[in-house]
Amino acid sequence: MDLNINGKVMILDFIITFTFIKSYKDFFMAIQIFGTNKNFDCKKAQMWFKERRIPFQFVDLKEKDMSRGEFDSVVQAIAKTAGSRQDAILQMIDKSSKDYASIAYLDDSDIEDKLFENQSLLKQPIVRNGKTAATVGLEPKTWESWK
């Protein structure tokens, strides 16, 4: 009889542990969407993930800027597909931004720091999957491959 009870307890313990590990993974591997609530592409990105029941965290750049670590990991992830860090930075710039003139004529070495300081210049949405993958703008085909 003890074996039977212990067996049930062990199975229940396994189920609880498995559920925790699954939610732990979802918590730390969740999608992050950086943008603003007024941006239509950000709304479309949020809707795309909601429709597929993929958990995500929305970070409103009007309320909270990306940290230096978040910014660097996004740049590194985009550089993998863009070819270089500088190309990634150029992809991240919203050339239609009202503040674009403030960086349009800067030296390449200064653009990254200025973009980090003034994140209203970022093209939106920036979607990050962990620390290794990220996109700029609407990229549902890329997001589909993240599953």
Side-chain angles (χ1 to χ4, degrees), residues 10 16 24 33 43 48 71 78 87-88 105 112 114 140:
M10 287 175 57
I16 292 169
Y24 177 83
I33 302 173
K43 290 179 183 180
W48 191 92
F71 184 82
I78 294 170
D87 290 340
Y105 302 104
E112 183 173 345
K114 186 69 171 180

Side-chain angles (χ1 to χ4, degrees), residues 35-100:
T36 58
N37 283 319
K38 292 186 177 184
N39 182 284
F40 288 110
D41 286 343
C42 290
K43 290 179 183 180
K44 288 179 188 176
Q46 290 179 62
M47 189 57 97
W48 191 92
F49 286 102
K50 280 181 188 174
E51 288 171 353
R52 287 153 185 82
R53 294 189 173 137
I54 299 170
F56 66 88
Q57 174 192 18
F58 180 73
V59 179
D60 190 343
L61 292 174
K62 287 208 183 267
E63 294 177 15
K64 181 182 181 286
D65 285 344
M66 277 191 256
S67 69
R68 180 49 102 170
E70 288 170 330
F71 184 82
D72 286 340
S73 72
V74 166
V75 173
Q76 287 175 339
I78 294 170
K80 290 178 187 175
T81 57
S84 70
R85 189 170 180 90
Q86 189 59 37
D87 290 340
I89 293 294
L90 294 176
Q91 271 187 9
M92 293 171 66
I93 297 171
D94 180 5
K95 293 182 173 81
S96 65
S97 170
K98 62 181 175 136
D99 295 332
Y100 177 66

Side-chain angles (χ1 to χ4, degrees), residues 105-130:
Y105 302 104
L106 287 179
D107 199 64
D108 285 349
S109 60
D110 298 328
I111 290 176
E112 183 173 345
D113 289 333
K114 186 69 171 180
L115 190 59
F116 176 71
E117 291 169 14
N118 186 358
Q119 293 184 16
S120 67
L121 290 163
L122 292 169
K123 190 183 293 184
Q124 298 176 29
I126 293 177
V127 182
R128 181 169 83 149
N129 183 9

